[in-house]
Amino acid sequence: MGTSTFTFTRTHTATFVADNIRNQLRELIKAASLDPTKLIDDWSVLGSAAKYWMETGYLTGVTIEFFYPGASRAQHRWDFDISYGGSGVDGDMWVDRDHIQRTIAKAGKPPAGCIYRVILTCLPGRPDFPGMSSTEFKSTDGLISRSSGTAIATQDIMAGLRYWRAA
């Protein structure tokens, strides 16, 4: 009888969380009847930045905003809030794929005619990452925020899910 162990490093867990956030963002975009091609095209930079800032502990959130072109106000918004407490269980890595579908059913979809963008939020002092620049969130006036629990978990990183919809 032999024993074996497998150690997950922050690099492994950051990759797992970043990849699964991308997958869930794609589901949100498709549920809004929009084309996820822009997300997929932009993910080489967004995903690399998200992974890097998770590895270093600077990433605090990934947000997708749905808004009318040229508008300063969001019509709908989803936040993946990142925490570094994790489950604390060695080798624990899971994503609740049904969670996003249940939450979409509760939150509804953005109105027709909206476009989307993805924003990464970091702690102050984060190192720069090539291809990334500062921006401001769209206004959430008229929207209410609801937390819907944990969507992705690893031993050291978790992503909670929160949505914003019309009040």
Side-chain angles (χ1 to χ4, degrees), residues 33-52:
S33 302
L34 295 171
D35 183 355
T37 301
K38 180 180 179 342
L39 171 71
I40 303 308
D41 290 347
D42 292 348
W43 197 254
S44 62
V45 173
L46 281 170
S48 295
K51 181 181 167 228
Y52 173 68

Side-chain angles (χ1 to χ4, degrees), residues 49-167:
K51 181 181 167 228
Y52 173 68
W53 285 328
M54 269 190 265
E55 288 173 0
T56 58
Y58 281 95
L59 189 72
T60 59
V62 177
T63 297
I64 185 166
E65 295 179 315
F66 293 93
F67 56 95
Y68 292 120
S72 61
R73 183 178 161 277
Q75 295 296 312
H76 215 74
R77 176 174 145 176
W78 295 79
D79 298 319
F80 291 89
D81 299 318
I82 306 299
S83 65
Y84 296 95
S87 69
V89 177
D90 284 342
D92 191 25
M93 297 176 81
W94 56 265
V95 58
D96 187 345
R97 288 175 177 79
D98 293 331
H99 181 74
I100 193 78
Q101 298 305 320
R102 290 188 306 268
T103 308
I104 289 169
K106 284 185 212 173
K109 303 192 291 190
C114 285
I115 57 175
Y116 65 89
R117 69 178 182 162
V118 175
I119 299 170
L120 306 181
T121 308
C122 293
L123 294 170
R126 62 130 175 91
D128 288 337
F129 192 87
M132 298 298 293
S133 61
S134 296
T135 192
E136 298 291 325
F137 286 112
K138 301 284 184 185
S139 168
T140 55
D141 288 346
L143 300 178
I144 56 171
S145 172
R146 298 276 189 255
S147 177
S148 69
T150 302
I152 303 166
T154 70
Q155 66 186 27
D156 64 337
I157 302 172
M158 294 176 78
L161 185 60
R162 188 164 31 110
Y163 62 88
W164 298 72
R165 66 177 183 159

